[in-house]
């Protein structure tokens, strides 16, 4: 099959080279088809507005793109390996079915700005999903905290019992952290809300007079991403920025899981989860394990690994499009999927968490109150340092 | 010398253990003394307000802290290894000189919230410096871009000549990117603008009635960081968030340097820098090297390495203070110093950059205009894909 | 479907939890089936030897395992999501078809040591493949170097022309580096050549008297991995060690690609590759891009990202099996696949590389010989530093 | 002060640029002076052998280098910031004191191969130290294991009690792991044992006829590192390889510390360390914390951060020397220092570790023996899977 950039069918292409360059994009792009259709539709309408497409050509393209969208919704729009990516598959579908009109849709557009706008729309949608998921988690934590009001819990420093604390204080520390994380996510959502479509191959276009404000309006972007070289520069950069913001949340969830893995040991026994959350062992019949929590803990490293891959690929690349960018797509899509899965599970965990009040109370031993003793002496007039030494000698 | 937490002078402490645990904090903390003094002053005034300190005790502490500040300004406030950190050195100075008052300053405070507030004030100051430095760089780039208006430059994709571009378009791509980076930095500055002082050892305090709003006002924080366990959780987290925001800028600067290292090769010869920016070789008498640009490029990895260290240390730590946190201090301070140094150098480079117009014009060869040719055929009515194939066969 | 660790069919299991815990293991494990069969066969033979299985039971298992192997060879052995992994799928296949014998194969074995031995056999096979691939690459580079004997090339330092060099010296620098890398790979292959089978759930077994030397001999391991807790500890550790060794090679290949991307710019024009290695642009009809080289360069970061994920997951985990380990499987398999693909492409590149002698000679300008001039003065008796200053003033 | 590469004193050099380029090398290099002296001595003797230096000139240089060595031993050989590095400081010292001879020592040598050989000698020495330290740790662990023979301990999987284990099995799992790590360290030590001196600026030398075998013999290298471009390529690569090997050990120590932090909680109470290993709190008088263990745990991330910095700096750099390499020096030196400090502390911990037998025995509860029960049923003829289900229903 001929590729978009093959000028005649005579060009041969090394098979190994094809395997290596196409990778799994033709599979990954399935998640992106709908967003590409959205961007292509706006582009086509703009081409009509500036006189490149006729009304009837636009109608054909609109029809074709709607067909692609419903195929994609039904999981039936296929992208062949030889097509490399969804951009090619879409153009070929349109050309095959609607002839000339299909051959015109790529006017004034490069796959560079096409994938940029596709990923930008995808990122905006996923960030919205992420924010919603975290709001749900926050609610679950607040609800559980209210339920546990009054249950004491030792506060640990250096993994040793330190001060009196409570289940609610512990749960709400995650609430406050997640609320701050959401502020960051919101800031990033605002920064990336700009339209790269029309930057073409990364240097804009001077002949056709593309109307970038028009496509921005159609696609719901807050603004045009003006400098075309900046559009190219933002490939990977914005993906990385999105993951940076979400990594703050992953770290909170990792800490939550790590705490729980400690607190659900037989030795601590502060919390438990229903059997539906516990898995067994293939050899030890008695085991009930919190695999879910272990995976939440471990997935922090998997997530930052994806983030790392994007960061590494874009680092110190020369300006302008480089093929390396394409390697950022897989870790980005995988990281977002992992994030949403982890947020969902964390919410389930929060909802189903059982505080074992008896153990928690029993663990609130005398030494937790040593600092309170010091303060009582301080209130009686002793200097803090003297009171501290005095109480300290009791231990 | 007795440590803050030694209750009697009889306690022995393994020498190797001391070396390993104290590390270089006693050196690093020199940069933090003034911020600790600021936090201690607010704490003392609050203690007076709630009746723990008398007016005369507060006066003594104010005097002592002012003395420490002026010693620190003059680089003469020393922190001994045996003192572990600036917190201890400050308390000991006050106690030695002002007796009882000194022994009272730590009332209701732990080194945990003391270092938290110290680093928070430090972070706010450094983020302000960073933003100012980047604004300066943006100005320099804009100025240079204006100077270079009209100078053409090939646009590269895949490191091959692709489309017509210009020196200004290239320079301004960094301007737009840095402007977005500043939005992120600003968002982070706003998130971290909350007061952890009063969270004590990470679980608050119930006896003394510390007035956290009062210290927030004195220290210029936008709000109290309420949940004390969240205060502890934010150790490292906020440092990491600050570096994440700045890493976006470091990456822009790394790309700028990488571009320039390519463009200053003899083979490209698009730009040069004055001799004051070039260094020689110990063996090759003819060499004039752009070491500064190489270091900007390389320091991206050093910077993200510091960021990585913080991230690794805090990952999946249990809730509450852990000594591991202390290991985040050195990479944080070093990263900020490196950032500011790099921003400064980048500004110098931008100001002194010389565009070699003759080479730039010569490099704008015919093939850059192939896409324009395609568009001219499109304007005459050919479909894009046909026009593309037609022009393509010429190459 | 009932899982290995479900004791009765009444146990419910949260659907989201299942999705999150099983992940894509049931897909990944397809690559591992043959190695699992190999390990299972050895285990069964050993069980017969120590009297757990009868001769007829062993025969059934041998037959069943052979069937699984030929199904797997034909790509027809399916692992269902509900089966979680290949271990379960294999046991269920055997039990369904051969009744009691199937129910006995897991005696004295845990999925922990089963996956350990499966991955160990897989690692050994892949390391052999990797070494063979790199030997091929070395040959290709040596052959090309011989072909290019006598073609000069500027030697660059700081990306500036520095000293006379040659195409052969450049190519052979990679040969020597790869030869050292192979020494490292060989050392790692030797270290991991030990048998974890029989460590059961990570604490061995005291009742049945498993014969670990026997399975080691059957599976071709150099030795038994004795301490069962060390077997568990080596999960992820050995995968990481393998990738560390291979990352040295990936870095050499990344440098090779980066050099070539510079040397194939129009401005340098030192080398080229046949059209079968070059791809076009969807918008610019004139473009011929070296995507293959860009992907080699970019995949260094993807590879180290997988390595990073393994490292992050295993870091500071408590002793004994933790479910987090399972997350190391995907990055490990992907990294090895990426490595082998990159090595193959690099060999193709080396074989097909064309040195553009005319450009190379033209680039060997006078300044390259400045140090030679210095040495000529030195030979006449001038001190090096004086001669250096004298020649330096000419530039 | 004039730099080695300044041809006349008229050259100005931007102050900021100097700060940024010199960094802290002039401080770091103090650790390297003795190794540089060793390399310089061999170089001088070789220059005498090939006729560049007279016998009397060599004598002067030998004397001068001996003086530098004894100054360095006494911590009195200073390197000024303006001198950039120890190479310059040494040449200047020799030139100032011994005139012409000093000006000749750099003949046929570049700072590139000078730092390469200096770091190579340093690496060999540090790897020897590291191996010795780990042998010591292994001995300590073995000794402690022998002392604890017979003390039972629950074996944990998924952080839940799983199977019977013992203190000795746990300790010896680290012994076996460290023994494998030593094999890797030894392999790396062998790979890097090659002499880069004589590669000059990275492209060798054709006029003077340097005798590289002679210097290899003098310096105790196993072989010459032949290809000069490979010598340049190995900068950073070998440092990275050394740290990769040592990172395996750091990970073992991190796991050891993490285990202990869990096992020294009040809730587990399996082990303790003497008071000399415990530190207090500035606010809570009762606290006795295992800071040493927390720092061991946290320093794993700091160590891999240094490793990451080196890896990031060298990744995809073009062939030949690049100034970026210089940035690898600091993380390398710091990582080695951190490694040796951690190994020392770990040994102290192993020696002083106290097993709390009573708690350990109490924790060996009934469920640990469930699998043994299964096996007993298996011995009676039940199939494993049936026996497993039967015992499983009891829990």
């Amino acid at each position: 099959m001929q590729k978009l950039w093959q000028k005649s069918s005579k060009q041969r292409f090394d098979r190994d080279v094809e395997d290596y360059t196409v990778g799994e994009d033709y599979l990954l792009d399935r998640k992106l088809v709908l967003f590409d259709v959205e961007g292509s539709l706006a582009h086509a309408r703009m081409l009509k507005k500036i006189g490149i497409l006729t009304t009837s050509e636009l109608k054909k393209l609109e029809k074709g793109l709607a067909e692609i969208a419903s195929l994609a919704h039904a999981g039936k729009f296929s992208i062949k390996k030889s097509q490399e990516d969804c951009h090619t598959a879409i153009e070929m579908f349109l050309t095959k079915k609607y002839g000339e009109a299909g051959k015109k849709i790529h006017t004034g557009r490069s796959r560079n700005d096409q994938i940029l706008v596709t990923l930008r729309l995808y990122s905006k949608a996923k960030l919205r999903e992420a924010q919603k998921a975290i709001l749900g988690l926050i609610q679950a934590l607040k609800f559980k905290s209210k339920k546990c009001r009054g249950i004491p819990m030792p506060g640990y420093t250096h993994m040793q019992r330190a001060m009196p604390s409570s289940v609610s204080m512990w749960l709400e520390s995650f609430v406050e952290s997640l609320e701050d994380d959401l502020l960051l996510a919101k800031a990033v959502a605002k920064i990336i809300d700009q339209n790269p479509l029309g930057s073409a191959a990364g240097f804009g276009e001077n002949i056709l007079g593309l109307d970038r404000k028009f496509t921005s309006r159609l696609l719901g972007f807050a603004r045009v991403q003006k400098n075309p070289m900046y559009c190219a520069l933002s490939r990977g950069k914005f993906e990385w920025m999105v993951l940076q913001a979400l990594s703050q949340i992953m770290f909170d969830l990792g800490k939550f899981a790590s705490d729980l893995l400690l607190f659900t040991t037989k030795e601590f026994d502060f919390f438990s989860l229903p059997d539906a959350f516990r898995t067994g062992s293939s050899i030890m019949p008695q085991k009930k394990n919190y695999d879910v929590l272990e995976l939440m803990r471990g997935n922090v490293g998997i997530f930052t690994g994806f983030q790392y891959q994007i960061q590494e690929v874009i680092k110190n690349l020369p300006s302008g499009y480089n093929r390396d960018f394409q390697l950022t797509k897989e870790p980005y899509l995988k990281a977002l999927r992992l994030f949403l899965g982890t947020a969902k599970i964390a919410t389930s965990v929060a909802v189903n968490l059982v505080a074992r009040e008896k153990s928690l109370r029993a663990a609130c031993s005398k030494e937790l109150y040593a600092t309170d003793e010091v303060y009582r002496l301080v209130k009686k007039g002793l200097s803090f340092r003297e009171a501290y030494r005095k109480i300290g000698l009791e231990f």
Side-chain angles (χ1 to χ4, degrees), chain A residues 145-335:
Chain A
S145 167
K146 205 174 281 177
K147 282 271 192 185
C148 295
R149 198 72 67 211
I151 307 181
M153 178 170 159
Y156 291 80
T157 64
H158 305 266
M159 299 187 72
Q160 299 294 329
R161 291 183 189 165
M163 302 274 270
S165 178
S166 70
V167 173
S168 295
M169 190 193 279
W170 172 68
L171 287 169
E172 284 169 23
S173 71
F174 293 103
V175 169
E176 284 197 24
S177 190
L178 291 167
E179 285 171 344
D180 279 350
D181 295 339
L182 279 180
L183 295 176
L184 187 61
K186 219 172 279 183
V188 169
K190 213 172 154 189
I191 290 170
I192 69 166
D193 192 9
Q194 45 186 318
N195 180 21
L197 186 62
S199 61
F203 306 96
E205 175 285 322
N206 304 306
I207 313 274
L208 303 167
L210 304 177
D211 187 341
R212 301 188 62 198
K213 280 194 185 161
F214 183 70
T215 53
S216 299
R217 209 159 49 236
L218 288 178
L219 293 167
F221 281 112
R223 54 185 172 123
V224 172
Q225 186 171 19
K226 273 184 271 176
N227 186 301
M229 290 188 76
Y230 176 43
C231 294
L233 189 158
S234 67
R235 178 85 193 265
K237 174 188 178 80
F238 279 5
E239 285 87 328
W240 186 38
M241 205 188 272
V242 168
L243 297 192
Q244 281 185 329
L246 299 183
S247 67
Q248 291 286 346
I249 299 172
M250 283 299 287
F251 266 51
D252 288 343
L253 303 187
K255 190 185 270 277
F256 182 52
S258 298
D259 274 357
L260 277 174
L261 282 163
L262 185 64
F263 295 154
T264 54
T265 55
K266 179 146 188 174
E267 289 74 10
F268 277 79
D269 194 31
F270 288 176
F271 294 96
S272 69
L273 282 169
D275 275 358
F277 282 82
R278 302 199 286 186
T279 46
S281 152
S282 74
I283 179 170
M284 294 166 284
Q286 86 282 11
K287 287 303 295 287
K288 287 179 182 160
N289 300 320
Y290 292 99
D291 295 51
V292 155
L293 300 173
E294 295 173 279
L295 292 171
M296 281 176 64
R297 174 180 64 186
N299 273 325
V300 177
I302 299 297
F303 184 90
T304 52
F306 291 134
Q307 184 180 341
Y308 169 95
Q309 288 178 321
I310 293 174
Q311 164 190 337
E312 285 318 292
V313 167
I314 65 173
K315 202 185 75 176
N316 289 337
L317 279 186
S319 278
Y321 180 79
N322 297 282
R323 180 64 181 260
D324 321 49
F325 284 134
Q326 202 162 341
L327 299 171
T328 62
K329 204 195 279 176
E330 183 169 342
Y332 187 55
L333 268 59
K334 291 212 153 182

Side-chain angles (χ1 to χ4, degrees), chain A residues 3 5-6 11-23 26 81-82 84:
Chain A
K3 300 195 191 315
W5 43 265
Q6 280 177 322
Q11 284 181 313
R12 280 180 45 261
F13 196 57
D14 189 279
R15 176 70 183 278
D16 287 347
V17 170
E18 182 172 6
D19 279 356
Y20 195 67
T21 50
V22 177
Y26 70 104
K81 189 169 185 178
S82 59
E84 293 187 317

